[in-house]
Amino acid sequence: MEDPHSQSQVSNPGNVLLDRGSLSEREVELLMEAARQHRWGHRDATAILVAYQHGLRAAELVALRWDDIDLTTGRLRIRRSKGGAAKAHAISAPESLALRRLRDEAAPSRHVFARHVFARHVFALHVFASEHGAPFRVTGYERMIARTGAEAGFGFVVRSHMLRRDLAVERSVELNTRQ
């Protein structure tokens, strides 16, 4: 018997497992609504929003640092993993508001992971950090996504890569229509 967590699948009434590639925009909104119910709901919902808007892999998302984000110009520098080139992306208005709130709500941290000083407070270097200032890890992010998907009532295991696929399809369609 195959491990149900080995890949993202949805079961249908005929008891046949189907591979699920990506989430729709509405499903992402439901996922964010469920994430807001967590103890660190705003952080979790913002992570989902940023990952979806920019098509980030889990490792790219948790590697985001505050110096990668310029909220005054609305630009986000993404250091791509797997050999991809670093790029600057525009930040949408909802993202900007969510990131500003996340920055403002970040508790001052005195732990080893804290590096930035703003107005005499030390804040975590990474955008998505724990309450202790430690960077969010890939496994923690992926667990949060799976748990949130279950809480949102999806009938399948939600994986972090499902936030990327829709954007990749949209971009390939855009490129093909331009050519």
Side-chain angles (χ1 to χ4, degrees), residues 35-36 38-47 97-103 105 128:
R36 287 186 187 99
H38 296 168
R39 177 176 177 190
W40 299 105
H42 181 69
R43 177 201 64 190
D44 295 350
T46 303
L97 291 172
L99 288 166
R100 286 176 197 275
R101 180 176 163 198
L102 188 64
R103 181 196 61 197
E105 288 179 355
F128 301 105

Side-chain angles (χ1 to χ4, degrees), residues 38-97:
H38 296 168
R39 177 176 177 190
W40 299 105
H42 181 69
R43 177 201 64 190
D44 295 350
T46 303
I48 292 166
L49 176 64
V50 171
Y52 182 70
Q53 291 284 334
H54 300 285
L56 299 180
R57 292 177 177 91
E60 295 164 347
L61 180 83
V62 300
L64 277 178
R65 300 182 313 224
W66 283 112
D67 59 353
D68 293 331
I69 299 172
D70 187 352
L71 293 170
T72 57
T73 62
R75 304 297 290 172
L76 170 68
R77 187 182 70 195
I78 299 170
R79 288 169 277 120
R80 292 287 184 184
S81 60
K82 295 192 173 188
K87 286 185 177 180
H89 286 222
I91 298 173
S92 67
E95 265 182 294
S96 181
L97 291 172

